[in-house]
Amino acid sequence: AQTVTQSQPEMSVQEAETVTLSCTYDTSENNYYLFWYKQPPSRQMILVIRQEAYKQQNATENRFSVNFQKAAKSFSLKISDSQLGDTAMYFCAFMANTGNQFYFGTGTSLTVIP
Amino acid sequence: ETGVTQTPRHLVMGMTNKKSLKCEQHLGHNAMYWYKQSAKKPLELMFVYNLKEQTENNSVPSRFSPECPNSSHLFLHLHTLQPEDSALYLCASSQENTDSNQPQHFGDGTRLSIL
């Protein structure tokens, strides 16, 4: 069975600082995708970043980057130069390559402090 | 049972059929959600029930109809669906308050295929 664990229910960071959100997962699959989603107060899910397990290079999207450690089954999200608009709930998610399995962590509530 | 349970796990239906997806949470939460996960699109929030009030995404077609009879159960009624509605439908629940975001617990999803 696949599980996704986010061990930090709440985090805060000063504006312009860097913060790292942790995520670990458990799977017996070899080919899969990992995602970080952002959920602002509007409740709509926004895809922040995506990583293919077969790629060793860590994905980056502007101020967002990941530290993907496949052997350790770890997938952390680093947010640089934090902005007030980054305040949201962040979900880590796993999807098997077949697309038939999609698992979410319980989320980390991030607050950016002015 | 614990957590969030969705039934059925898989559903194949024709475009003229009427079916319902069921979600049940045993966590004592007061908010429940329906999400749609398509193969090549980001997760989409469809409906939110928070303390019995419904909030919906205005882009969700009327062929999807939610029902929340109590805080533990959530249904998604389906009728005259289209092939593009084939997706994984995820249910989630949380204990909402006015102070902060709370963790959401997700079910395993229902894989829906429209013929």
Side-chain angles (χ1 to χ4, degrees):
Chain A
Q2 277 76 213
T3 59
V4 178
T5 302
Q6 292 178 250
S7 59
Q8 306 152 313
E10 296 183 12
M11 293 191 73
S12 61
V13 62
Q14 288 291 139
E15 192 176 4
E17 297 294 310
T18 295
V19 64
T20 299
L21 310 183
S22 66
C23 173
T24 59
Y25 59 95
D26 185 25
T27 183
S28 57
E29 300 282 339
N30 194 44
N31 296 319
Y32 51 88
Y33 300 90
L34 295 163
F35 307 84
W36 276 100
Y37 277 92
K38 170 185 176 181
Q39 187 180 49
S42 67
R43 303 298 185 91
Q44 191 54 267
M45 286 285 199
I46 302 168
L47 179 62
V48 174
I49 201 164
R50 160 190 162 126
Q51 173 84 40
E52 289 90 343
Y54 65 86
K55 289 186 177 180
Q56 291 186 342
Q57 186 173 6
N58 290 325
T60 61
E61 286 289 341
N62 301 316
R63 297 182 296 106
F64 299 89
S65 62
V66 299
N67 183 4
F68 174 47
Q69 302 289 328
K70 190 173 184 180
K73 295 179 181 173
S74 171
F75 183 62
S76 60
L77 174 70
K78 185 171 82 171
I79 305 174
S80 304
D81 186 25
S82 298
Q83 301 176 359
L84 297 179
D86 295 334
T87 292
M89 198 74 165
Y90 287 82
F91 291 95
C92 178
F94 166 101
M95 183 178 79
N97 196 37
T98 56
N100 289 329
Q101 298 160 336
F102 208 105
Y103 297 95
F104 279 81
T106 52
T108 296
S109 179
L110 177 67
T111 302
V112 179
I113 303 168
Chain B
E1 291 191 47
T2 59
V4 179
T5 305
Q6 289 186 243
T7 54
R9 290 298 306 276
H10 302 274
L11 178 61
V12 180
M13 57 187 285
M15 290 190 287
T16 58
N17 292 154
K18 288 185 179 181
K19 296 285 184 182
S20 296
L21 309 185
K22 179 182 177 182
C23 177
E24 186 173 0
Q25 59 98 359
H26 305 273
L27 300 167
H29 290 164
N30 62 6
M32 297 185 75
Y33 312 78
W34 278 118
Y35 292 93
K36 176 183 178 183
Q37 175 62 60
S38 300
K40 297 183 179 180
K41 294 182 182 179
L43 190 69
E44 175 190 356
L45 177 67
M46 301 177 72
F47 301 102
V48 180
Y49 274 89
N50 187 342
L51 302 175
K52 294 284 184 79
E53 293 182 357
Q54 176 189 336
T55 303
E56 60 186 80
N57 181 345
N58 290 329
S59 68
V60 177
S62 59
R63 55 186 183 269
F64 294 92
S65 174
E67 178 189 0
C68 188
N70 54 60
S71 59
S72 299
H73 294 85
L74 184 65
F75 295 90
L76 186 63
H77 302 301
L78 318 170
H79 65 98
T80 60
L81 295 191
Q82 302 299 310
E84 62 265 27
D85 297 324
S86 296
L88 181 71
Y89 289 83
L90 289 161
C91 174
S93 71
S94 68
Q95 182 62 26
E96 292 296 299
N97 59 53
T98 57
D99 296 330
S100 64
N101 292 319
Q102 295 300 310
Q104 290 184 28
H105 296 255
F106 285 82
D108 289 340
T110 294
R111 172 62 64 183
L112 176 64
S113 299
I114 306 301
L115 301 178

